[in-house]
Amino acid sequence: MSSTSSLLIRRARILLPSGEFLLGDVLTRDRQIVEIAPNIPTPSDATVTEIDATGLTLLPGAIDPQVHFREPGLEHKEDLFTASCACAKGGVTSFLEMPNTRPLTTTQQTLDDKLQRAAQKCVVNYGFFIGATAENLPDLLTAHPTPGIKIFMGSMHGALLVDGEAYLEAIFARGDRLIAVHAEDQARINQRRQEFAGIHDPAIHSQIQDNQAALLATQLALKLSKKYQRRLHILHMSTAEEAELLRQDKPSWVTAEVTPQHLLLNTSAYETIGTWAQMNPPLRSPHDNEVLWQALLDGVIDFIATDHAPHTLEEKAQQYPNTPSGMPGVETSLPLMLTQAMQGRCTVAQVSHWMSTSVAKAYKIPNKGAIAPGYDADLVLVDLNNYHPVRREELQTKCGWSPFEGWNLTGWAAYTIVGGQLVYDRGKLNTQVRGQALSFGE
């Protein structure tokens, strides 16, 4: 299907920007939505493709604002093609990817390299963060296009670890682009690693990188953000303490996100899935789950990201602490959250807001995150009437596993549409589709 053809989605339950649903049709042309109505006559355009969406719900495509897709340098875990196919299967039509690849994405040159790779390989839309180092590179101020600067305050080795307050302040003090922080206090982690050395139970990971390590770093980031009124985004918030801090003190220019795993998994997962449950920041207690949920429902936390960070089964099978932290998530995030909606924990409209609308707003991505005329035709038709388990053999991610294996979920994508082109059609991927580079406006 060429990008100049039309797509007519018929008899869908359409989520409107108001949060209401309309039973009707959506017409797209030239990558954009052109009409929404209860019944649209078939256009005379000879290249119109029709989808019968009877029984399906039409949502804006999900935008995953924190992923690690491993290319270049670590393609044995994942690459931009396999990861973008996983996105399409999961109803994710755009992603923002992190700079901890090899080489690190810290210059215009390395950013351009990723953009060129993505243009050739990605079946969904893409954007790439620029990484901060202690050298505070000039590219942090000028590299483009990028959603912002990523700072690893902890849980990182090498040049991307920026854990001294003076180094951090130098970054906050210069420029005005968004800063996204992985907030863990490296000094506390180092100290506790020594205290708990020699323990091979992966559950100790949540004690080494404890709630206090997360809170200390978030407090510091918030302090510097307020000092310079600098746009701050707190990545993968994981603790009750951080949620309560933001509930009490959240400037208008600060946003925060949470992952499905920090909402739905907790330290009990170590008993059932072992090192598959190991991630940074770690899984927390059931109490943290509850407080994070409430913060999300109340708007203290703004949106959802997966922190998709795949490693091979062989890597994950090593003995702790030699196992890498991270888990895949782009294929399961939307059905996980829609399953929670169907169980009454939240609404379908809220899930769409957290996974699309609010992300587009926070990163100033134009024409994304809503089903309205003039918006980009990045859409997903989901089936909320049937349940299907997460099965390893059906996953598109190269790593080939999921921490949610066996979970019975609803809201799986039946069709995923990127720029008006059908990229996923009832189990089949159209790998000829190519997404576009996202822009980040003012």
Side-chain angles (χ1 to χ4, degrees):
M1 198 175 134
S2 75
S3 60
T4 55
S5 54
S6 299
L7 188 65
L8 181 54
I9 301 163
R10 291 213 176 276
R11 294 173 286 278
R13 182 172 168 252
I14 304 159
L15 177 64
L16 300 174
S18 65
E20 302 298 310
F21 287 91
L22 169 73
L23 194 61
D25 301 352
V26 173
L27 178 66
T28 79
R29 188 179 292 122
D30 296 337
R31 306 189 72 93
Q32 287 196 328
I33 298 164
V34 292
E35 189 180 353
I36 301 160
N39 185 31
I40 298 173
T42 302
S44 55
D45 188 338
T47 56
V48 69
T49 301
E50 289 199 21
I51 295 174
D52 180 359
T54 303
L56 300 177
T57 298
L58 185 67
L59 304 174
I63 305 170
D64 192 332
Q66 196 202 166
V67 298
H68 302 265
F69 282 171
R70 306 304 190 199
E71 185 177 346
L74 299 162
E75 288 92 341
H76 70 282
K77 302 175 193 276
E78 189 82 279
D79 61 58
L80 287 167
F81 175 72
T82 58
S84 69
C85 288
C87 285
K89 181 171 177 283
V92 174
T93 54
S94 300
F95 65 80
L96 303 181
E97 206 259 354
M98 290 298 165
N100 55 325
T101 40
R102 294 179 185 168
L104 305 172
T105 317
T106 54
T107 64
Q108 185 69 56
Q109 183 181 1
T110 48
L111 177 60
D112 286 343
D113 176 65
K114 271 193 182 173
L115 288 163
Q116 287 161 9
R117 289 166 181 268
Q120 293 166 1
K121 295 185 171 191
C122 282
V123 302
V124 301
N125 305 311
Y126 46 86
F128 299 99
F129 277 87
I130 193 92
T133 72
E135 275 74 54
N136 190 16
L137 301 165
D139 297 70
L140 294 186
L141 304 173
T142 58
H144 69 279
T146 184
I149 299 165
K150 167 72 180 283
I151 301 181
F152 289 90
M153 298 173 72
S155 296
M156 178 52 60
H157 309 286
L160 283 182
L161 178 64
V162 184
D163 60 344
E165 185 168 348
Y167 294 125
L168 287 164
E169 182 150 5
I171 298 166
F172 273 87
R174 290 183 67 200
D176 57 5
R177 61 176 31 163
L178 178 146
I179 294 173
V181 293
H182 178 127
E184 290 189 277
D185 184 274
Q186 190 63 37
R188 183 172 177 85
I189 292 170
N190 291 344
Q191 173 203 330
R192 291 175 72 78
R193 272 188 188 144
Q194 292 177 340
E195 286 175 35
F196 296 102
I199 299 175
H200 298 297
D201 178 357
I204 204 70
H205 189 66
S206 292
Q207 291 187 53
I208 292 170
Q209 295 179 211
D210 65 350
N211 288 39
Q212 186 67 13
L215 179 63
L216 286 168
T218 295
Q219 285 172 327
L220 175 55
L222 192 60
K223 180 179 96 171
L224 292 172
S225 171
K226 286 164 69 176
K227 180 173 179 179
Y228 295 100
Q229 296 204 3
R230 183 65 181 267
R231 177 75 176 88
L232 171 67
H233 177 66
I234 299 158
L235 299 159
H236 46 44
M237 185 170 279
S238 64
T239 71
E241 289 88 342
E242 291 168 287
E244 288 307 319
L245 171 67
L246 277 204
R247 189 180 288 278
Q248 302 302 323
D249 183 12
K250 187 188 179 195
S252 60
W253 60 86
V254 173
T255 51
E257 72 187 27
V258 66
T259 68
Q261 49 271 38
H262 286 119
L263 295 172
L264 300 172
L265 298 175
N266 52 55
T267 48
S268 67
Y270 292 113
E271 297 162 30
T272 51
I273 61 171
T275 54
W276 287 16
Q278 182 188 332
M279 67 172 294
N280 299 330
L283 300 179
R284 308 298 186 186
S285 71
H287 171 69
D288 291 293
N289 293 152
E290 293 299 322
V291 175
L292 291 168
W293 260 109
Q294 196 59 52
L296 182 62
L297 289 164
D298 293 342
V300 174
I301 294 173
D302 300 271
F303 50 83
I304 287 166
T306 63
D307 192 20
H308 178 96
H311 301 283
T312 66
L313 285 163
E314 291 76 16
E315 289 166 337
K316 279 289 197 178
Q318 297 174 92
Q319 187 181 54
Y320 185 85
N322 299 319
T323 40
S325 294
M327 54 182 76
V330 292
E331 278 170 271
T332 51
S333 55
L334 187 58
L336 280 166
M337 295 307 298
L338 289 171
T339 300
Q340 295 295 306
M342 298 310 285
Q343 292 172 0
R345 195 108 193 228
C346 55
T347 67
V348 171
Q350 282 175 310
V351 171
S352 183
H353 178 78
W354 298 328
M355 297 191 70
S356 190
T357 313
S358 185
V359 180
K361 179 185 173 190
Y363 285 105
K364 299 179 179 175
I365 306 169
N367 303 320
K368 306 275 188 207
I371 303 175
Y375 273 71
D376 293 338
D378 296 334
L379 302 162
V380 59
L381 279 159
V382 297
D383 181 353
L384 291 169
N385 300 314
N386 295 292
Y387 282 73
H388 184 81
V390 179
R391 291 189 178 132
R392 189 185 298 194
E393 61 272 18
E394 295 172 358
L395 295 170
Q396 293 293 327
T397 175
K398 190 184 281 191
C399 74
W401 61 275
S402 167
F404 299 102
E405 196 171 317
W407 286 42
N408 203 30
L409 305 177
T410 191
W412 291 98
Y415 301 88
T416 304
I417 297 152
V418 174
Q421 300 178 85
L422 201 50
V423 66
Y424 183 77
D425 179 346
R426 294 161 297 179
K428 295 189 186 72
L429 282 159
N430 178 1
T431 58
Q432 302 308 303
V433 171
R434 288 294 173 267
Q436 293 188 328
L438 297 169
S439 57
F440 309 96
E442 289 309 312

